[in-house]
Amino acid sequence: MLYAAGLFALFLTPGPVWVALMARTLSGGFGAAWPLAAGVVVGDVLWPLLAILGVGWLVSVYGAVLSVLKWVASLVFIVMGAAILRHRDADLASDSRLTQPGRWSGFVAGLAVILGNPKAILFYAGMLPGFFEIGALSAWDIAAICALSAAVPLVGNLVLAASVGRARRLLASPRAVRRTNTGAALLLIGVGVAIPFL
């Protein structure tokens, strides 16, 4: 229960995942946001698993991979933001490949943002051992921790996307569409620019 509360507190702390999720929801609705949330789940399972297994050599190797992933994530968000900005007058509901880059693109964006999210890395690598006696965990314990690590943020991310999606429906005028698309594009570009410095 304490660990679940810690995960919920982590979710409530705004970070790159929140910004990316809100930007995708504003530009493409809930349908564009849930694949990002699914991509985040992979990292939310991977980080605690790495923390529990304590594979030192993997973490040291992963540091270089993490650096590359930060730049990939940065590029993905900047390109997505630029694409939305170019077509900011398009209807929010239109099925444009630029404003709704697809499920796979959303999934990869979610994976990139969680793997390069220092907040998640610090929580799982630094705080997780404080919740559990790592050496005494069984395979079932590890599975339960990974499931909880995936479920709490996933539910939070889906609720956030659904809430932003409902607000998005209120923005039907062309002027509101332009402002919303511009805001979503600037959020995506902002995340892309910020990621390498986090």
Side-chain angles (χ1 to χ4, degrees):
M1 294 292 284
L2 188 59
Y3 180 61
L7 287 169
F8 186 65
L10 178 71
F11 164 74
L12 289 177
T13 309
V17 173
W18 267 43
V19 175
L21 195 67
M22 289 176 21
R24 283 186 62 88
T25 304
L26 286 173
S27 67
F30 184 80
W34 75 259
L36 185 133
V40 169
V41 166
V42 175
D44 283 334
V45 170
L46 181 64
W47 284 126
L49 188 59
L50 286 175
I52 291 168
L53 296 178
V55 186
W57 65 268
L58 184 58
V59 173
S60 67
V61 169
Y62 196 75
V65 174
L66 181 61
S67 178
V68 170
L69 284 175
K70 280 181 142 184
W71 288 103
V72 169
S74 176
L75 182 63
V76 166
F77 286 113
I78 290 171
V79 168
M80 287 169 47
I84 292 171
L85 202 53
R86 277 190 12 225
H87 298 290
R88 63 181 166 241
D89 292 320
D91 183 359
L92 286 169
S94 68
D95 187 20
S96 166
R97 295 184 98 185
L98 296 171
T99 57
Q100 292 190 1
R103 292 178 181 159
W104 179 248
S105 296
F107 179 83
V108 170
L111 183 60
V113 77
I114 192 64
L115 292 180
N117 184 353
K119 181 180 76 167
I121 297 164
L122 291 173
F123 177 82
Y124 290 121
M127 304 295 255
L128 182 93
F131 286 100
F132 305 102
E133 189 178 332
I134 301 297
L137 295 175
S138 69
W140 288 108
D141 294 329
I142 294 170
I145 291 167
C146 289
L148 198 55
S149 298
V152 172
L154 176 62
V155 169
N157 287 334
L158 292 176
V159 168
L160 176 64
S163 300
V164 173
R166 284 183 181 224
R168 177 182 171 269
R169 288 188 208 127
L170 301 173
L171 306 169
S173 75
R175 187 175 181 179
V177 168
R178 182 179 176 83
R179 270 191 263 156
T180 302
N181 280 340
T182 301
L186 293 176
L187 283 172
L188 284 169
I189 292 169
V191 169
V193 170
I195 285 175
F197 304 103
L198 298 176

